[in-house]
């Protein structure tokens, strides 16, 4: 019988990039975009065989350069089965666009490990799964903060500080975000390295920029807890302006941000690592159909609405 598991995508509401330098960030799951993994018995002696359905590729868990194979090996280590791998075929699919700032890498790893662990009769506690997905992220992205794996594993909005216990927090009043995709793929490793290069040239200056972003994230947390949704828009706009100075926006993202604001969104910003990927806009107070039409007109290849609650 097949065993399936899944994990959602994520959006960063405030604090991307600065979070890599120990500043707080706020992120939420995107339940409408998910990675799923389905495990069925495999051929005898084949070990774990991975089918990446969206990419049209497949390989054994021993494949050297594949992050899903690495995820499978880390799982086998965690359950002490590296020398006795079970014969299982795991098929991974995802509706989260790749390299778009929505946490697709963390979500496919989480879904694969969760499904395999269940099929092996060793379901993983979320804390263990989170640590394992973080390990995959580190090997693939260099210096991730850990925010992506935390949100996709716990599936809750989170106030996140690197290396601290993740802190889920109460949402005083639910709100809706429009997420618009530029259709431009962008590597997290590249943008994180670009920000690091800037930081190393002028650490005091960029430290101050990160501190401003930290203050925005702190203020946003207080407003979210108190249900003061209207206060979030200006903070999103301020955060986007600071990300622009960090060179992680791009004309396509700026066009979507401008279009969202012109269509009545009280605030908009890039989300995730930037230079492509997705933009988020606060959709409360805006006409959703008009907002979506304006975003598509400005170049969005996809628009989804997600509720943060
Ligand atoms: C990527 O989703 C968010 C970044 O802040 C990198 C990270 O936190 O690891 C750009």
């Amino acid at each position: 019988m097949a065993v399936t598991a899944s994990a959602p995508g994520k959006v960063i509401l405030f604090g991307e990039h600065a979070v890599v330098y120990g500043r707080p960030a706020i992120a939420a799951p995107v339940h409408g975009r998910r990675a799923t993994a389905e495990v069925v018995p495999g051929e005898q002696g084949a070990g774990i065989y991975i089918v990446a359905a969206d990419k049209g590729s497949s390989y054994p868990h021993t494949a050297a350069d594949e992050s899903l194979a690495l995820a499978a090996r880390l799982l086998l280590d965690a359950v002490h089965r590296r020398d006795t791998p079970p014969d299982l075929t795991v098929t991974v699919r995802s509706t989260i666009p790749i390299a778009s700032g929505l946490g697709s890498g963390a979500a496919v790893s989480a879904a694969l490990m969760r499904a395999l662990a269940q099929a092996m009769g060793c379901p993983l506690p979320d804390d263990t799964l989170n640590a394992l997905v973080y390990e995959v992220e580190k090997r693939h992205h260099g210096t991730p903060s850990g925010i992506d794996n935390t949100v996709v594993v716990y599936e809750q909005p989170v106030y996140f500080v690197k290396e601290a216990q993740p802190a889920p927090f109460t949402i005083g009043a639910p709100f809706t975000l429009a997420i618009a995709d530029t259709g431009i793929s962008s590597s997290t490793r590249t943008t994180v390295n670009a920000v690091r290069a800037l930081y190393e040239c002028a650490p005091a200056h960029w430290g101050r920029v990160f501190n401003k972003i930290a203050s925005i994230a702190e203020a946003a947390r207080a407003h979210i807890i108190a249900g003061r949704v209207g206060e979030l828009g200006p903070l999103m706009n301020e955060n986007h302006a600071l990300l622009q100075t960090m060179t992680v926006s791009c004309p396509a993202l700026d066009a979507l941000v401008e279009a969202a604001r012109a269509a009545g969104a009280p605030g908009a910003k890039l989300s995730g690592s930037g230079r492509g990927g997705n933009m988020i806009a606060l959709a409360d107070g805006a006409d959703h159909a008009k907002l979506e039409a304006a975003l598509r007109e400005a170049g969005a290849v996809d628009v989804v609405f997600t509720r943060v609650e």
Side-chain angles (χ1 to χ4, degrees):
M1 207 183 67
V3 173
T4 59
S6 72
K10 69 96 194 30
V11 277
I12 296 186
L13 277 65
F14 296 97
E16 51 273 272
H17 286 291
V19 68
V20 174
Y21 298 82
R23 281 24 171 226
I26 296 174
V30 179
H31 297 290
R33 290 277 181 273
R34 297 190 80 84
T36 53
E38 183 184 72
V39 181
V40 294
E43 273 178 42
Q44 208 180 352
I48 295 176
Y49 198 72
I50 298 157
V51 180
D54 305 318
K55 288 187 178 169
S57 60
S58 52
Y59 38 83
H61 74 272
T62 49
D65 293 330
E66 298 288 350
S67 62
L68 289 179
L70 170 65
R73 291 196 295 278
L74 289 172
L75 173 69
L76 288 173
D77 288 342
V79 298
H80 311 291
R81 294 288 302 271
R82 177 68 88 102
D83 297 329
T84 55
D87 298 324
L88 296 170
T89 297
V90 55
T91 301
V92 180
R93 292 188 172 81
S94 175
T95 57
I96 310 163
I98 295 169
S100 71
L102 294 188
S104 130
V108 290
S109 294
L112 173 129
M113 290 200 230
R114 207 174 244 156
L116 282 172
Q118 277 170 25
M120 291 163 69
C122 304
L124 295 175
D126 281 348
D127 292 358
T128 309
L129 179 62
N130 189 31
L132 289 173
V133 179
Y134 186 40
E135 207 47 48
V136 182
E137 294 277 285
K138 279 199 274 197
R139 303 222 193 151
H140 268 263
H141 297 309
T143 54
S145 62
I147 191 166
D148 287 18
N149 43 283
T150 301
V151 178
V152 309
V153 167
Y154 294 100
E155 298 202 29
Q156 283 178 27
V158 65
Y159 171 84
F160 180 88
V161 178
K162 191 174 174 179
E163 280 156 21
Q165 260 317 93
F169 63 107
T170 338
I171 309 288
F175 54 95
T176 304
L177 296 172
I179 307 173
D181 191 350
T182 60
I184 301 170
S185 307
S186 166
S187 136
T188 300
R189 181 187 276 272
T190 305
T191 49
V192 167
N193 286 347
V195 173
R196 183 164 303 283
L198 284 180
Y199 175 73
E200 283 172 359
C201 293
H205 169 77
W206 293 109
R208 283 191 295 275
V209 172
F210 299 154
N211 287 343
K212 283 186 196 164
I213 293 176
S215 304
I216 291 171
E218 295 288 4
R221 173 165 79 153
H223 291 316
I224 292 171
I225 291 171
R228 293 188 295 264
V229 173
E231 306 287 340
L232 299 177
L235 293 175
M236 292 169 81
N237 294 337
E238 275 178 54
N239 196 162
H240 185 71
L242 292 168
L243 288 162
Q244 284 175 313
T245 71
M246 289 158 65
T247 76
V248 295
S249 194
C250 65
L253 279 167
D254 289 341
L256 294 181
V257 164
E258 291 303 324
R261 292 175 189 159
K269 64 181 276 294
L270 72 84
S271 178
S273 51
R275 293 195 182 169
N278 279 271
M279 179 234 55
I280 56 171
L282 189 60
D284 294 72
D287 175 326
H288 288 195
K290 190 176 149 200
L291 180 55
E292 175 167 355
L295 289 167
R296 289 193 185 274
E297 174 75 25
V301 297
D302 190 25
V303 179
V304 289
F305 289 87
T306 191
R307 203 152 164 78
V308 181
E309 52 195 349

